[in-house]
Amino acid sequence: MSDLPILAVTLGDPVGIGPEITLKTLAEPEALQLARGVAVGDAPVLDRVARHLGLSVEINPIATVADARFTTGVIDVLNLGVVTEDLPWGEVNATAGAAAVGAIEVATRLALAGEVDAVVTAPINKEAIWAAGSQHLGHTEMLGELTGSTRFNTMFWVSGLKIFFATRHLSLREAINRITRENIEHAIREAYTALEVFGTEKPKLAVAALNPHGGENGKFGDEEIVAIAPAVAAARAAGLDVVGPIPADSVFHQGIQGRFDGVLSLYHDQGHIASKTYDFDGTVSVTVGLPILRTSVDHGTAFDIAGTGRASHGTMRAAFKAAATLAPYARKLPAIYPPSLR
C-alpha cells in the first residue's frame, strides 16, 4: 500500500454529480489496489451522498494527507469547511462554486508540494465558479494560473490513443481563424513532447485536416495547403514522425486501430465527438504542460440527474486509473514544464 501513488480527488461542484461519482469510485475495493485516493472537498457533502446512496462507508474528515487512513470502507476527505449545510441539487450556486474552486486550489498546492502524486478532478459548473468570483473559463485555465504555466493544454486518452487540441474554448469561427502555420507548428511540438513525456518512445503523430476530404486540393478550403501541410512538413524536417493532414472522418479511426500514437485535433468538438462517441466512459482528460499531473472526467456536472443516484462513475473510475498509471511520469513534469508561480 505504501508504494502506491497518492491521488487527490476533488469533488467538483457539490450539487452536481461530482461527489457521487467520486464516492462511488473511492468506495470500490479495486481503487485501493491502484492508488491511495483522498477526496478534497467538504465532508458533509460526502455524508449526504453516502446516506442518499445507502453506501455503508465511513466518511473520515482529515486536515492533512498524513492523517488519511487509506482503508477499505473509509473515505478520507480533506475537509475544506465551505459547504456546511445541504444545498439544492442541480442549481447554480455561488457557495457550491466557491467549494469547487477551493478544492482545486488545495489539490494543486498539494501536488506542487509533492504531498500527492496527481490530481483527479470531478466536473465543475462554470456559471457557479463565476458566481463565486472566478474569472476562469474552466479547470484547465485555473490550473494554468495556479501553477504559473503558459503551456497548458488538453490531452484525451481513449483506448490507447492520445488526442490533442490545437484550439479549445473558442467559437468555431475563431478557432478556424487560429489555424495558422505558426500555431499548428507549436501545437505539433507540444503534442509530440507530451507523447514522449508520458512514455511513448519514438511517437507517431497524425494531424487532422480541417475541411471535408482534407480540402480537396483547395476546392473546399485552403487551410490544409497554406497552414497545416507546411506545419507538418516543418515538423518532419525537424526529425519528428508526423503525418497529415488526414481527413477528420478517418484519422481518429486509424488512430484507434493503432496506426498513430496521437492525433492532433484542430478544434474542440472535432476531437471530443470522436473520442466520446467511441467510448464515452473510457475517455480521460489529461492536462499537459503543467508541472503537476492532472486527470479528469470528460463530462459536465449533469445537473439534470444530480441527487438521483443514477450517475455512472465509469469516467471517474477511468480518470482515477489513468492517474495511477501515469503517476510514475509525474516526477519528470517539473523539469519539462517548470512552475512559474506568480
Side-chain angles (χ1 to χ4, degrees):
M1 172 69 74
S2 62
D3 294 332
L4 294 177
I6 300 176
L7 310 181
V9 187
T10 67
L11 299 187
D13 192 296
V15 299
I17 64 170
E20 178 181 338
I21 61 176
T22 299
L23 185 60
K24 286 178 176 178
T25 298
L26 295 179
E28 291 184 335
E30 294 82 358
L32 280 175
Q33 298 174 14
L34 296 170
R36 292 171 287 170
V38 56
V40 183
D42 293 288
V45 172
L46 286 182
D47 270 321
R48 178 191 187 188
V49 174
R51 291 195 308 271
H52 187 67
L53 296 176
L55 284 179
S56 180
V57 294
E58 176 188 348
I59 306 301
N60 179 37
I62 58 177
T64 69
V65 175
D67 298 327
R69 288 154 58 183
F70 301 123
T71 303
T72 301
V74 175
I75 308 299
D76 301 301
V77 53
L78 281 162
N79 191 35
L80 303 184
V82 177
V83 179
T84 57
E85 60 184 4
D86 291 351
L87 301 174
W89 289 111
E91 296 181 10
V92 174
N93 185 292
T95 299
V101 171
I104 297 165
E105 292 173 343
V106 168
T108 301
R109 286 198 295 268
L110 291 172
L112 287 170
E115 294 186 50
V116 299
D117 297 288
V119 175
V120 183
T121 58
I124 61 175
N125 181 277
K126 292 179 175 58
E127 287 186 67
I129 67 169
W130 295 337
S134 174
Q135 302 298 311
H136 297 293
L137 294 175
H139 262 125
T140 306
E141 293 81 6
M142 195 182 309
L143 289 163
E145 179 171 303
L146 290 170
T147 60
S149 172
T150 58
R151 297 175 64 180
F152 58 87
N153 211 323
T154 296
M155 177 182 81
F156 270 13
W157 189 13
V158 58
S159 191
L161 177 67
K162 297 177 174 67
I163 299 174
F164 302 88
F165 298 86
T167 65
R168 293 178 57 254
H169 291 152
L170 299 169
S171 71
L172 184 55
R173 186 181 304 279
E174 179 59 26
I176 293 172
N177 290 339
R178 300 283 184 94
I179 306 301
T180 65
R181 173 175 173 169
E182 180 182 10
N183 288 344
I184 299 303
E185 283 187 31
H186 174 76
I188 289 172
R189 289 193 300 271
E190 291 293 281
Y192 207 88
T193 297
L195 288 170
E196 294 177 319
V197 166
F198 289 113
T200 304
E201 294 184 9
K202 299 180 179 179
K204 184 166 188 174
L205 176 70
V207 180
L210 175 68
N211 295 298
H213 303 176
E216 289 283 11
N217 294 318
K219 290 183 174 60
F220 297 161
D222 65 358
E223 286 84 1
E224 286 76 16
I225 296 172
V226 302
I228 304 170
V232 170
R236 292 184 64 84
L240 307 186
D241 190 356
V242 183
V243 296
I246 298 175
D249 61 359
S250 60
V251 67
F252 298 101
H253 171 75
Q254 292 174 22
I256 290 293
Q257 296 302 307
R259 291 182 60 178
F260 317 117
D261 301 296
V263 173
L264 177 61
S265 168
L266 299 185
Y267 58 92
H268 183 281
D269 282 8
Q270 188 181 59
H272 278 242
I273 292 171
S275 60
K276 293 181 183 181
T277 300
Y278 179 77
D279 187 355
F280 189 91
D281 283 347
T283 297
V284 175
S285 176
V286 182
T287 306
V288 296
L290 299 177
I292 64 171
L293 173 61
R294 177 255 181 163
T295 68
S296 180
V297 299
D298 67 343
H299 59 71
T301 50
F303 275 179
D304 58 323
I305 61 169
T308 67
R310 295 190 288 113
S312 168
H313 65 296
T315 50
M316 177 56 85
R317 182 198 290 131
F320 189 89
K321 181 179 180 180
T325 302
L326 295 175
Y329 303 108
R331 65 179 64 94
K332 300 192 303 183
L333 297 179
I336 299 169
Y337 306 114
S340 178
L341 300 181
R342 293 185 286 272

